[in-house]
Amino acid sequence: MTTESNDLTPTGLGEHVVDAAEFEPDLSAADWAAKFRVDDVRLTPIHLAPFEVLSPVKTIGRGRTNLTLIRPTILQTDAATPFASFDRRESPNRNPAVSVHFNASAYGVTWTGTYVFAFAVDAPTRAAFTPSGFAGSGTVDAPGSIRFAGRRVITVILRSVPPNQDVFAAIEQTSGESWSWFSTSIGRPPIVIDTVAGG
């Protein structure tokens, strides 16, 4: 699916309020239902709230949770919605990337869990990204490559992560022109209720 960005331009990013909740998700409800069974999700009272949301103005969370920006061309923290812009053409020797490190035990987690990293990105022209991660003894669920134009959430899932394991998820630009990153939310898988038609 391709969407075109219509109100953010490289020269006007700082003037607009950007709501990451309005970005096109890369996973549909059917995709989530296929990835998780009800038995796989451990519910707690704060299940729907993210553990952390890192952004250009909040780069450090609890414990070793933190953000790394690799080769940004602009970092604007006083914009209506703070952002970091990147452009692979300006960094020919190193691909631009956003990496988020996370330690679940710093947030009171004492069990093995699954964590969803949602990167809110706007690429006014088509750009390609390679999502990746490290889950320790767990596993990484991420597309090998994703290419799009417009506002999109890029999702990286880390499964079966021990609570004391330092883990990370990242997106790296592999082709295209300028793009902007606004935030990365670290949370649990969404609850998807699959209805069954009676017969």
Side-chain angles (χ1 to χ4, degrees), residues 178-191:
S178 66
W179 57 285
S180 296
W181 166 82
F182 296 96
S183 65
T184 299
S185 171
I186 307 164
R188 296 191 174 110
I191 298 170

Side-chain angles (χ1 to χ4, degrees), residues 4 13 24 40 46 50 52 55 67 77 85 98 121 134-136 147 161 163 194 198:
E4 296 300 327
L13 282 171
E24 180 181 348
D40 295 335
I46 59 165
E52 193 67 78
S55 70
L67 169 70
T77 59
S85 286
V98 177
V121 173
F134 172 74
R147 184 176 174 85
V161 175
D194 191 13

Side-chain angles (χ1 to χ4, degrees), residues 30 40 57-58 64 99 109-110 113-114 120 147 151 175 179 191:
D40 295 335
V57 295
K58 185 165 198 270
R64 295 181 52 84
S99 177
V109 175
T110 59
T114 295
R147 184 176 174 85
R151 294 179 180 175
S175 71
W179 57 285
I191 298 170

